[in-house]
Amino acid sequence: HANGMARRMAEGLAAIPGIRLGWPCEINEVFPVMPQALMDHLIEQGAHFYDWSDLSMDPALRPAPDEVVARLVTSFMTTAEEVDRFVALSRNFMIQRRDAAE
C-alpha cells in the first residue's frame, strides 16, 4: 500500500510542469525537485515533509538556486485522498504561478 501511494504521488507530481523527480520512485519515498516557493506554500497548507540533500543526485538533475529537494514518505496509513490533495495543492500553486508570470 505504501509503495502504491508513493507511485501515485510520484506520477501526479511528475506530471506538473516545474516539478521533476530527483530519483525514480522505487519504494515508499518520493524526492521531488520543486520551487522553494511551492515548498513554503505546501508547509503553510499543513503538509509535513523533509528537506533533502542533493549531494547524491545526478548533477544534471540538481536543483537550481530557487529550487529544493523534498523527501516525501508514505505509509500503510497514507490515503489516496491525502496524496491527491498534496498533488492538487502543488498543481494549483504551479498553475497560479505560471499565470501570474504571463
XYZ file of all heavy atoms in Angstrom:
802
model
N 0.825 -1.193 0.000
C 0.000 0.000 0.000
C 0.871 1.260 0.000
O 0.621 2.181 -0.783
C -0.941 -0.005 1.196
C -1.734 1.243 1.315
N -2.864 1.483 0.558
C -1.543 2.343 2.078
C -3.340 2.680 0.855
N -2.570 3.217 1.785
N 1.868 1.295 0.891
C 2.729 2.481 0.984
C 3.451 2.735 -0.336
O 3.545 3.877 -0.789
C 3.734 2.312 2.121
N 3.949 1.676 -0.959
C 4.640 1.844 -2.242
C 3.678 2.318 -3.324
O 4.037 3.148 -4.168
C 5.310 0.540 -2.665
C 6.461 0.151 -1.765
O 6.910 0.931 -0.928
N 6.940 -1.063 -1.912
N 2.460 1.820 -3.314
C 1.458 2.257 -4.285
C 1.100 3.719 -4.113
O 0.942 4.449 -5.103
N 0.984 4.170 -2.885
C 0.695 5.584 -2.631
C 1.871 6.457 -3.073
O 1.677 7.552 -3.608
C 0.374 5.825 -1.157
C -0.932 5.222 -0.686
S -2.401 5.955 -1.475
C -2.783 4.720 -2.726
N 3.091 5.970 -2.877
C 4.261 6.728 -3.332
C 4.275 6.820 -4.856
O 4.574 7.885 -5.416
C 5.548 6.093 -2.813
N 3.958 5.726 -5.529
C 3.894 5.766 -7.001
C 2.827 6.752 -7.462
O 3.041 7.520 -8.401
C 3.609 4.375 -7.570
C 4.828 3.486 -7.654
C 4.566 2.202 -8.439
N 3.472 1.400 -7.894
C 3.597 0.552 -6.879
N 4.762 0.377 -6.300
N 2.542 -0.141 -6.452
N 1.690 6.749 -6.797
C 0.614 7.690 -7.135
C 1.101 9.123 -6.962
O 0.844 9.994 -7.798
C -0.588 7.402 -6.231
C -1.816 8.221 -6.510
C -2.909 7.865 -5.491
N -4.160 8.491 -5.803
C -5.253 7.852 -6.179
N -5.241 6.530 -6.297
N -6.359 8.515 -6.427
N 1.793 9.380 -5.863
C 2.342 10.707 -5.590
C 3.375 11.086 -6.655
O 3.328 12.181 -7.210
C 2.995 10.732 -4.209
C 3.674 12.029 -3.852
S 2.559 13.258 -3.186
C 2.214 12.554 -1.594
N 4.285 10.184 -6.945
C 5.343 10.462 -7.923
C 4.753 10.760 -9.300
O 5.171 11.718 -9.964
C 6.315 9.284 -7.995
N 3.809 9.949 -9.732
C 3.201 10.162 -11.048
C 2.452 11.487 -11.100
O 2.539 12.216 -12.088
C 2.267 9.003 -11.388
C 3.006 7.708 -11.659
C 2.105 6.487 -11.714
O 0.857 6.631 -11.591
O 2.654 5.375 -11.878
N 1.729 11.805 -10.046
C 0.994 13.067 -10.012
C 1.916 14.273 -10.033
O 1.684 15.224 -10.784
N 2.966 14.236 -9.231
C 3.887 15.377 -9.181
C 4.692 15.510 -10.468
O 4.906 16.624 -10.957
C 4.823 15.243 -7.979
C 4.164 15.380 -6.612
C 5.171 15.100 -5.505
C 3.532 16.758 -6.438
N 5.142 14.386 -11.018
C 5.951 14.426 -12.244
C 5.168 14.986 -13.425
O 5.763 15.484 -14.384
C 6.487 13.040 -12.566
N 3.845 14.936 -13.363
C 3.005 15.457 -14.451
C 2.810 16.966 -14.367
O 2.215 17.556 -15.276
C 1.644 14.757 -14.436
N 3.317 17.603 -13.321
C 3.140 19.037 -13.135
C 4.362 19.773 -13.688
O 5.478 19.541 -13.217
C 2.957 19.384 -11.639
C 1.737 18.648 -11.071
C 2.835 20.890 -11.446
C 1.630 18.728 -9.557
N 4.175 20.655 -14.671
C 5.310 21.433 -15.174
C 5.954 22.231 -14.032
O 5.269 22.830 -13.207
C 4.682 22.363 -16.211
C 3.448 21.641 -16.657
C 2.938 20.949 -15.403
N 7.280 22.175 -13.983
C 8.020 22.887 -12.950
C 8.423 22.017 -11.779
O 9.130 22.458 -10.875
N 7.963 20.755 -11.773
C 8.350 19.788 -10.746
C 8.940 18.584 -11.464
O 8.411 18.136 -12.472
C 7.141 19.344 -9.897
C 6.508 20.544 -9.204
C 7.564 18.297 -8.870
C 5.234 20.213 -8.441
N 10.028 18.070 -10.945
C 10.622 16.853 -11.511
C 11.074 15.962 -10.360
O 11.207 16.415 -9.227
C 11.793 17.191 -12.434
C 12.969 17.848 -11.744
C 14.020 18.312 -12.764
N 15.180 18.881 -12.107
C 15.244 20.095 -11.576
N 14.194 20.900 -11.616
N 16.348 20.524 -10.995
N 11.289 14.699 -10.648
C 11.727 13.762 -9.624
C 13.245 13.665 -9.633
O 13.857 13.515 -10.696
C 11.104 12.388 -9.843
C 9.581 12.345 -9.808
C 9.096 10.921 -10.033
C 9.035 12.907 -8.508
N 13.821 13.737 -8.454
C 15.280 13.634 -8.331
C 15.783 12.219 -8.526
O 16.897 12.011 -8.998
N 14.964 11.246 -8.155
C 15.269 9.829 -8.309
C 13.988 9.109 -8.685
O 12.893 9.569 -8.356
C 15.783 9.234 -6.990
C 17.115 9.738 -6.565
C 18.346 9.261 -6.960
C 17.388 10.810 -5.654
N 19.343 9.983 -6.329
C 18.789 10.940 -5.534
C 16.586 11.680 -4.921
C 19.398 11.888 -4.722
C 17.190 12.639 -4.124
C 18.576 12.729 -4.025
N 14.090 7.965 -9.321
C 12.886 7.186 -9.607
C 12.221 6.751 -8.294
O 12.908 6.527 -7.292
C 13.410 5.965 -10.371
C 14.776 6.332 -10.840
C 15.306 7.347 -9.868
N 10.935 6.608 -8.311
C 10.187 6.138 -7.135
C 10.206 4.616 -7.151
O 9.564 3.997 -7.996
C 8.754 6.671 -7.174
S 7.756 6.103 -5.800
N 10.959 4.020 -6.233
C 11.085 2.569 -6.197
C 10.533 1.955 -4.913
O 10.333 0.748 -4.841
C 12.551 2.174 -6.379
C 13.089 2.620 -7.736
C 14.568 2.358 -7.909
O 15.271 2.167 -6.894
O 15.016 2.354 -9.065
N 10.348 2.781 -3.887
C 9.794 2.304 -2.618
C 8.767 3.331 -2.149
O 8.159 4.000 -2.968
C 10.900 2.048 -1.572
C 11.742 3.312 -1.352
C 11.778 0.885 -1.990
C 12.713 3.236 -0.196
N 8.612 3.508 -0.869
C 7.596 4.429 -0.343
C 8.136 5.835 -0.120
O 7.654 6.550 0.748
C 6.998 3.875 0.950
C 7.995 3.869 2.094
O 9.167 3.569 1.905
N 7.523 4.176 3.285
N 9.096 6.240 -0.900
C 9.650 7.582 -0.807
C 9.668 8.241 -2.183
O 9.934 7.595 -3.189
C 11.075 7.544 -0.245
C 11.131 7.003 1.169
C 12.537 6.983 1.731
O 13.508 7.228 0.997
O 12.664 6.700 2.940
N 9.384 9.544 -2.184
C 9.375 10.340 -3.412
C 10.239 11.562 -3.145
O 10.141 12.184 -2.083
C 7.939 10.779 -3.788
C 7.933 11.574 -5.085
C 7.014 9.567 -3.886
N 11.090 11.915 -4.099
C 12.009 13.036 -3.953
C 11.802 14.063 -5.066
O 12.562 14.117 -6.034
C 13.459 12.540 -3.970
C 13.791 11.622 -2.827
C 13.635 10.250 -2.944
C 14.258 12.146 -1.630
C 13.941 9.408 -1.886
C 14.574 11.309 -0.562
C 14.405 9.932 -0.689
N 10.764 14.881 -4.956
C 10.547 15.889 -5.996
C 11.498 17.077 -5.841
O 11.831 17.483 -4.733
C 9.103 16.318 -5.764
C 8.881 16.099 -4.307
C 9.714 14.898 -3.952
N 11.912 17.605 -6.967
C 12.643 18.870 -7.013
C 11.594 19.909 -7.371
O 10.915 19.775 -8.393
C 13.771 18.824 -8.069
C 14.494 20.157 -8.134
C 14.738 17.678 -7.763
N 11.454 20.913 -6.502
C 10.373 21.885 -6.664
C 10.861 23.284 -6.325
O 11.880 23.434 -5.646
C 9.202 21.512 -5.753
C 9.531 21.575 -4.277
S 8.132 21.239 -3.173
C 7.890 19.504 -3.387
N 10.140 24.296 -6.766
C 10.496 25.657 -6.364
C 10.373 25.823 -4.842
O 9.476 25.244 -4.221
C 9.456 26.534 -7.079
C 8.958 25.699 -8.212
C 9.017 24.275 -7.713
N 11.278 26.595 -4.277
C 11.220 26.878 -2.843
C 9.852 27.461 -2.470
O 9.292 27.136 -1.425
C 12.330 27.852 -2.446
C 12.302 28.276 -0.981
C 12.665 27.158 -0.029
O 13.728 26.567 -0.175
N 11.814 26.870 0.940
N 9.308 28.302 -3.341
C 8.001 28.917 -3.065
C 6.907 27.865 -2.929
O 5.998 28.009 -2.104
C 7.643 29.919 -4.158
N 6.975 26.791 -3.712
C 5.990 25.718 -3.592
C 6.159 25.002 -2.264
O 5.175 24.716 -1.579
C 6.098 24.732 -4.758
C 5.216 23.481 -4.655
C 3.742 23.841 -4.477
C 5.429 22.573 -5.851
N 7.392 24.718 -1.883
C 7.614 24.065 -0.596
C 7.025 24.908 0.532
O 6.321 24.391 1.406
C 9.097 23.815 -0.344
C 9.365 23.173 1.024
S 11.102 22.924 1.380
C 11.316 21.284 0.705
N 7.288 26.201 0.502
C 6.766 27.098 1.530
C 5.237 27.057 1.551
O 4.622 27.001 2.616
C 7.250 28.529 1.293
C 8.763 28.672 1.419
O 9.414 27.786 2.023
O 9.290 29.668 0.899
N 4.629 27.079 0.373
C 3.164 27.045 0.265
C 2.601 25.743 0.844
O 1.614 25.758 1.588
C 2.746 27.210 -1.194
C 1.292 27.040 -1.435
N 0.350 27.976 -1.040
C 0.594 26.016 -2.004
C -0.855 27.547 -1.371
N -0.738 26.365 -1.956
N 3.202 24.628 0.500
C 2.705 23.341 0.991
C 2.791 23.254 2.510
O 1.869 22.766 3.171
C 3.484 22.196 0.333
C 3.227 22.013 -1.160
C 4.260 21.072 -1.767
C 1.812 21.515 -1.419
N 3.874 23.764 3.071
C 4.025 23.770 4.529
C 2.963 24.676 5.154
O 2.339 24.314 6.158
C 5.451 24.183 4.920
C 6.432 23.069 4.507
C 5.550 24.479 6.419
C 7.897 23.461 4.598
N 2.721 25.834 4.547
C 1.675 26.734 5.040
C 0.300 26.057 5.017
O -0.558 26.350 5.848
C 1.616 28.010 4.206
C 2.766 28.951 4.416
C 2.781 30.098 3.413
O 1.802 30.265 2.649
O 3.785 30.830 3.393
N 0.093 25.159 4.061
C -1.185 24.465 3.925
C -1.273 23.229 4.831
O -2.264 22.507 4.790
C -1.414 24.054 2.470
C -1.550 25.234 1.527
C -2.726 26.121 1.900
O -3.836 25.652 2.092
N -2.468 27.411 2.019
N -0.227 22.985 5.624
C -0.265 21.896 6.595
C 0.463 20.632 6.211
O 0.402 19.639 6.941
N 1.153 20.626 5.078
C 1.905 19.435 4.678
C 3.138 19.271 5.567
O 3.739 20.258 5.995
C 2.318 19.541 3.216
N 3.491 18.024 5.824
C 4.675 17.712 6.624
C 5.586 16.823 5.798
O 5.179 15.735 5.371
C 4.274 16.976 7.908
C 3.375 17.775 8.781
N 3.838 18.743 9.632
C 2.030 17.751 8.914
C 2.817 19.283 10.264
N 1.693 18.709 9.837
N 6.805 17.286 5.581
C 7.805 16.508 4.846
C 9.173 17.096 5.155
O 9.283 18.028 5.938
C 7.515 16.485 3.337
C 7.331 17.844 2.714
C 8.405 18.547 2.214
C 6.069 18.418 2.626
C 8.230 19.796 1.636
C 5.879 19.653 2.053
C 6.970 20.348 1.559
N 10.192 16.532 4.562
C 11.564 16.885 4.882
C 12.272 17.566 3.706
O 12.036 17.227 2.559
C 12.367 15.621 5.226
C 11.726 14.794 6.304
C 10.889 13.724 5.986
C 11.934 15.091 7.644
C 10.293 12.968 6.977
C 11.344 14.338 8.640
C 10.524 13.276 8.304
O 9.921 12.531 9.279
N 13.177 18.490 4.035
C 14.148 18.967 3.045
C 15.109 17.803 2.828
O 15.328 17.008 3.732
C 14.986 20.125 3.587
C 14.190 21.370 3.865
O 12.991 21.263 4.094
O 14.787 22.441 3.869
N 15.713 17.730 1.659
C 16.641 16.632 1.411
C 17.876 17.152 0.691
O 17.818 18.136 -0.055
C 15.962 15.537 0.590
C 16.622 14.211 0.775
C 17.356 13.528 -0.148
C 16.637 13.416 1.953
N 17.811 12.359 0.381
C 17.377 12.266 1.683
C 16.083 13.570 3.229
C 17.598 11.258 2.629
C 16.290 12.577 4.168
C 17.038 11.436 3.860
N 18.967 16.489 0.881
C 20.235 16.868 0.259
C 20.263 16.420 -1.196
O 19.733 15.364 -1.542
C 21.397 16.217 1.012
O 22.599 16.402 0.311
N 20.924 17.210 -2.018
C 21.082 16.856 -3.431
C 22.466 16.281 -3.721
O 22.821 16.069 -4.869
C 20.811 18.066 -4.314
C 21.831 19.184 -4.118
O 22.738 19.062 -3.275
O 21.696 20.205 -4.813
N 23.252 15.982 -2.689
C 24.632 15.562 -2.890
C 24.773 14.273 -3.699
O 25.740 14.117 -4.435
C 25.357 15.421 -1.546
C 25.545 16.723 -0.778
C 26.235 16.459 0.560
C 26.343 17.734 -1.599
N 23.831 13.349 -3.566
C 23.957 12.091 -4.310
C 23.190 12.105 -5.628
O 23.135 11.099 -6.320
C 23.484 10.924 -3.445
O 22.116 11.045 -3.157
N 22.633 13.262 -5.990
C 21.873 13.362 -7.241
C 22.800 13.477 -8.441
O 23.911 13.991 -8.340
C 20.972 14.611 -7.237
C 19.783 14.513 -6.345
S 18.797 16.023 -6.395
C 17.947 15.769 -7.937
N 22.302 13.027 -9.568
C 22.971 13.275 -10.839
C 23.113 14.795 -10.959
O 22.129 15.527 -10.790
C 22.094 12.729 -11.963
C 22.648 12.966 -13.354
O 23.335 13.986 -13.581
O 22.370 12.140 -14.229
N 24.316 15.301 -11.224
C 24.495 16.757 -11.311
C 23.540 17.448 -12.279
O 23.147 18.589 -12.049
C 25.951 16.903 -11.770
C 26.621 15.669 -11.269
C 25.570 14.581 -11.378
N 23.118 16.767 -13.331
C 22.195 17.371 -14.303
C 20.801 17.563 -13.719
O 20.023 18.353 -14.240
C 22.120 16.507 -15.552
N 20.480 16.853 -12.639
C 19.150 16.932 -12.039
C 19.108 17.797 -10.785
O 18.043 18.020 -10.222
C 18.646 15.529 -11.684
C 18.453 14.566 -12.850
C 18.042 13.189 -12.328
C 17.416 15.098 -13.825
N 20.253 18.266 -10.343
C 20.296 19.039 -9.099
C 19.435 20.299 -9.201
O 19.231 20.852 -10.269
C 21.732 19.407 -8.758
C 22.502 18.211 -8.254
C 23.759 18.593 -7.544
N 24.400 17.379 -7.062
C 25.685 17.129 -7.174
N 26.497 18.019 -7.707
N 26.178 16.003 -6.721
N 18.945 20.750 -8.057
C 18.079 21.928 -8.060
C 18.806 23.202 -8.463
O 19.993 23.357 -8.183
C 17.590 22.028 -6.618
C 18.306 21.006 -5.837
C 19.101 20.153 -6.748
N 18.060 24.085 -9.100
C 18.545 25.431 -9.402
C 18.558 26.217 -8.085
O 18.024 25.756 -7.079
C 17.618 26.084 -10.422
N 19.141 27.408 -8.081
C 19.208 28.183 -6.829
C 17.856 28.448 -6.160
O 17.790 28.561 -4.941
C 19.872 29.485 -7.263
C 20.710 29.104 -8.434
C 19.908 28.041 -9.155
N 16.779 28.523 -6.927
C 15.460 28.787 -6.331
C 14.635 27.516 -6.126
O 13.439 27.572 -5.879
C 14.671 29.770 -7.188
C 14.335 29.209 -8.570
O 15.048 28.295 -9.048
O 13.358 29.679 -9.172
N 15.280 26.348 -6.205
C 14.606 25.064 -6.045
C 15.157 24.308 -4.836
O 16.250 24.587 -4.365
C 14.794 24.181 -7.281
C 14.128 24.700 -8.533
C 14.367 23.784 -9.710
O 15.505 23.291 -9.886
O 13.409 23.564 -10.461
N 14.377 23.346 -4.382
C 14.765 22.489 -3.269
C 14.380 21.054 -3.587
O 13.562 20.801 -4.478
C 14.082 22.920 -1.952
C 14.580 24.279 -1.507
C 12.572 22.929 -2.104
N 14.963 20.125 -2.851
C 14.582 18.719 -2.935
C 13.799 18.398 -1.668
O 14.227 18.743 -0.569
C 15.815 17.794 -3.024
C 15.382 16.338 -3.117
C 16.698 18.174 -4.198
N 12.658 17.762 -1.841
C 11.855 17.325 -0.699
C 11.894 15.810 -0.615
O 12.079 15.119 -1.623
C 10.411 17.803 -0.852
N 11.717 15.299 0.584
C 11.594 13.857 0.798
C 10.191 13.603 1.330
O 9.844 14.046 2.421
C 12.630 13.366 1.796
C 12.497 11.891 2.120
C 13.569 11.473 3.131
N 13.397 10.102 3.533
C 13.238 9.703 4.796
N 13.247 10.593 5.778
N 13.096 8.437 5.079
N 9.394 12.907 0.532
C 8.023 12.568 0.899
C 7.977 11.080 1.200
O 8.475 10.270 0.406
C 7.069 12.892 -0.254
C 7.185 14.297 -0.854
C 6.285 14.424 -2.065
C 6.854 15.347 0.183
N 7.409 10.718 2.326
C 7.353 9.318 2.746
C 5.891 8.924 2.960
O 5.170 9.607 3.681
C 8.158 9.095 4.041
C 8.125 7.629 4.455
C 9.603 9.568 3.878
N 5.474 7.840 2.336
C 4.128 7.323 2.525
C 4.192 6.097 3.435
O 5.252 5.489 3.600
C 3.494 6.955 1.174
O 4.339 6.001 0.510
C 3.322 8.183 0.290
N 3.037 5.751 4.012
C 2.997 4.602 4.921
C 1.725 3.802 4.686
O 0.912 4.146 3.830
C 3.037 5.077 6.374
O 1.763 5.576 6.774
N 1.536 2.783 5.501
C 0.318 1.982 5.420
C -0.913 2.809 5.771
O -2.027 2.430 5.448
C 0.420 0.752 6.331
C 0.403 1.095 7.802
C -0.789 1.053 8.519
C 1.568 1.461 8.460
C -0.809 1.371 9.870
C 1.553 1.781 9.810
C 0.363 1.740 10.520
N -0.717 3.961 6.406
C -1.832 4.826 6.787
C -2.128 5.922 5.763
O -3.132 6.617 5.880
C -1.545 5.468 8.148
C -1.534 4.459 9.285
S -1.179 5.187 10.894
C -2.437 6.430 11.002
N -1.266 6.112 4.786
C -1.464 7.156 3.782
C -2.667 6.817 2.916
O -2.777 5.701 2.409
C -0.208 7.303 2.897
O 0.936 7.563 3.729
C -0.374 8.420 1.885
N -3.548 7.801 2.750
C -4.738 7.565 1.930
C -4.574 8.179 0.543
O -3.793 9.122 0.351
C -5.988 8.180 2.586
O -5.858 9.605 2.600
C -6.194 7.645 3.993
N -5.340 7.670 -0.396
C -5.344 8.238 -1.748
C -5.810 9.690 -1.702
O -5.291 10.530 -2.458
C -6.248 7.410 -2.661
N -6.733 10.005 -0.817
C -7.227 11.376 -0.692
C -6.112 12.320 -0.247
O -6.023 13.447 -0.738
C -8.401 11.436 0.287
C -9.653 10.754 -0.211
C -9.631 9.223 -0.068
O -8.785 8.663 0.687
O -10.453 8.577 -0.736
N -5.270 11.871 0.678
C -4.143 12.702 1.123
C -3.162 12.945 -0.021
O -2.698 14.069 -0.225
C -3.426 12.042 2.302
C -4.227 12.024 3.569
C -3.619 11.154 4.647
O -3.038 10.092 4.338
O -3.748 11.544 5.825
N -2.861 11.889 -0.756
C -1.949 12.024 -1.892
C -2.550 12.969 -2.927
O -1.874 13.889 -3.417
C -1.645 10.643 -2.514
C -0.912 10.787 -3.843
C -0.859 9.784 -1.544
N -3.806 12.765 -3.254
C -4.458 13.594 -4.267
C -4.519 15.059 -3.836
O -4.365 15.957 -4.660
C -5.854 13.068 -4.577
C -5.818 11.707 -5.257
O -4.729 11.279 -5.706
O -6.881 11.061 -5.323
N -4.748 15.310 -2.556
C -4.785 16.691 -2.057
C -3.411 17.344 -2.188
O -3.300 18.489 -2.618
C -5.253 16.742 -0.608
C -5.312 18.172 -0.080
C -5.993 18.256 1.286
N -6.131 19.649 1.673
C -5.244 20.313 2.424
N -4.180 19.696 2.887
N -5.422 21.586 2.720
N -2.354 16.611 -1.833
C -0.998 17.151 -1.950
C -0.685 17.484 -3.405
O -0.161 18.557 -3.709
C 0.018 16.139 -1.403
C 1.406 16.663 -1.281
C 1.845 17.221 -0.090
C 2.298 16.597 -2.345
C 3.140 17.706 0.032
C 3.585 17.081 -2.238
C 4.005 17.645 -1.041
N -1.018 16.574 -4.305
C -0.774 16.801 -5.737
C -1.610 17.983 -6.225
O -1.107 18.843 -6.961
C -1.050 15.519 -6.553
C -1.010 15.806 -8.048
C -0.041 14.434 -6.193
N -2.866 18.062 -5.813
C -3.727 19.171 -6.248
C -3.214 20.510 -5.726
O -3.198 21.501 -6.474
C -5.163 18.941 -5.786
N -2.783 20.570 -4.475
C -2.201 21.808 -3.942
C -0.986 22.220 -4.755
O -0.798 23.398 -5.072
C -1.804 21.628 -2.473
C -2.924 21.619 -1.447
C -2.389 21.162 -0.094
C -3.548 23.002 -1.336
N -0.166 21.240 -5.100
C 1.037 21.521 -5.894
C 0.673 22.010 -7.285
O 1.212 23.011 -7.776
C 1.903 20.258 -5.997
O 2.302 19.821 -4.716
N -0.254 21.318 -7.938
C -0.669 21.688 -9.292
C -1.285 23.092 -9.314
O -0.930 23.929 -10.148
C -1.674 20.674 -9.838
C -2.120 20.985 -11.273
C -3.175 20.021 -11.799
N -2.806 18.625 -11.626
C -3.352 17.805 -10.714
N -4.310 18.229 -9.912
N -2.959 16.550 -10.631
N -2.197 23.351 -8.380
C -2.861 24.656 -8.348
C -1.865 25.783 -8.106
O -1.964 26.843 -8.734
C -3.961 24.662 -7.283
C -5.109 23.744 -7.640
O -5.285 23.370 -8.799
N -5.869 23.353 -6.643
N -0.914 25.572 -7.218
C 0.095 26.597 -6.957
C 0.919 26.863 -8.216
O 1.159 28.020 -8.571
C 1.015 26.174 -5.810
C 2.077 27.189 -5.514
C 1.824 28.241 -4.643
C 3.333 27.119 -6.114
C 2.795 29.191 -4.377
C 4.308 28.058 -5.849
C 4.038 29.101 -4.978
N 1.353 25.799 -8.878
C 2.190 25.973 -10.060
C 1.406 26.625 -11.199
O 1.973 27.419 -11.959
C 2.794 24.630 -10.485
C 3.767 24.044 -9.458
S 5.161 25.131 -9.041
C 6.117 24.992 -10.557
N 0.120 26.336 -11.326
C -0.697 26.993 -12.353
C -0.835 28.477 -12.037
O -0.681 29.326 -12.930
C -2.084 26.312 -12.457
C -1.947 24.930 -13.100
C -3.071 27.194 -13.238
C -3.204 24.073 -13.022
N -1.120 28.821 -10.788
C -1.233 30.223 -10.403
C 0.087 30.953 -10.621
O 0.100 32.105 -11.084
C -1.675 30.349 -8.939
C -3.093 29.915 -8.716
C -3.464 29.895 -7.234
O -2.649 30.144 -6.362
N -4.706 29.551 -6.960
N 1.173 30.291 -10.321
C 2.498 30.906 -10.500
C 2.761 31.166 -11.993
O 3.247 32.225 -12.364
C 3.554 29.972 -9.916
C 4.962 30.471 -10.021
C 5.894 29.465 -9.390
N 7.252 29.769 -9.753
C 8.279 29.619 -8.960
N 8.118 29.157 -7.754
N 9.480 29.903 -9.380
N 2.423 30.183 -12.832
C 2.591 30.348 -14.270
C 1.728 31.472 -14.808
O 2.178 32.315 -15.590
C 2.259 29.035 -14.997
C 2.420 29.108 -16.522
C 1.645 28.053 -17.232
N 0.226 28.284 -17.020
C -0.705 27.337 -17.030
N -0.389 26.089 -17.257
N -1.978 27.631 -16.831
N 0.465 31.496 -14.395
C -0.454 32.525 -14.869
C -0.018 33.916 -14.436
O -0.160 34.867 -15.189
C -1.875 32.240 -14.366
C -2.490 31.008 -15.031
O -1.903 30.493 -16.003
O -3.542 30.557 -14.545
N 0.523 34.037 -13.234
C 0.994 35.341 -12.743
C 2.215 35.818 -13.533
O 2.416 37.025 -13.717
C 1.335 35.248 -11.268
N 3.009 34.872 -14.038
C 4.211 35.231 -14.796
C 3.889 35.640 -16.233
O 4.682 36.304 -16.888
C 5.184 34.061 -14.808
N 2.728 35.236 -16.723
C 2.372 35.525 -18.133
C 1.849 36.915 -18.314
O 1.451 37.675 -17.607
C 1.341 34.519 -18.632
C 1.934 33.142 -18.777
C 0.905 32.115 -19.241
O -0.306 32.393 -19.275
O 1.343 31.010 -19.576
